[in-house]
Amino acid sequence: MKRISYNTQGVCSTNISFELNEGKLYNLQFSGGCMGNLKAISKLVEGRLAKEVADILRGNDCKGKGTSCADQLSKAIDAALAASKKVA
């Protein structure tokens, strides 16, 4: 499994990390942010297809910021999937 680390922008969480294996998400962790909500997201997405998770969470807004921790996760997933296509 490849561990991905993504520095967030515009949200309370400062970093998102996760593992990708055969297009699925595992061991999602957020640094900072609303821990109760972010731990729940981590449990809900465990083992799910990364693209599906990104599609669901993309565009979610927090307090009019134009982004959220969930939206930042979608950006992290998109970046990781794009990078894996370049390597393949």
Side-chain angles (χ1 to χ4, degrees):
M1 278 191 223
K2 182 178 180 182
R3 188 88 187 152
I4 309 295
S5 180
Y6 182 84
N7 292 322
T8 61
Q9 296 180 343
V11 295
C12 298
S13 175
T14 57
N15 183 273
I16 300 170
S17 64
F18 54 90
E19 294 172 357
L20 270 180
N21 187 25
E22 297 181 6
K24 294 183 180 179
L25 288 173
Y26 297 95
N27 302 312
L28 172 63
Q29 295 178 327
F30 290 84
S31 297
C34 304
M35 278 297 109
N37 291 331
L38 298 177
K39 285 180 183 178
I41 290 172
S42 298
K43 289 179 179 183
L44 289 169
V45 304
E46 182 73 15
R48 291 188 68 179
L49 288 172
K51 184 182 179 334
E52 179 182 74
V53 171
D55 290 345
I56 291 168
L57 299 178
R58 189 177 297 106
N60 188 60
D61 183 70
C62 178
K63 300 180 184 176
K65 294 178 183 178
T67 191
S68 66
C69 292
D71 182 59
Q72 289 291 299
L73 174 57
S74 74
K75 293 177 186 312
I77 293 169
D78 290 342
L81 292 175
S84 69
K85 285 183 184 178
K86 289 179 184 177
V87 173

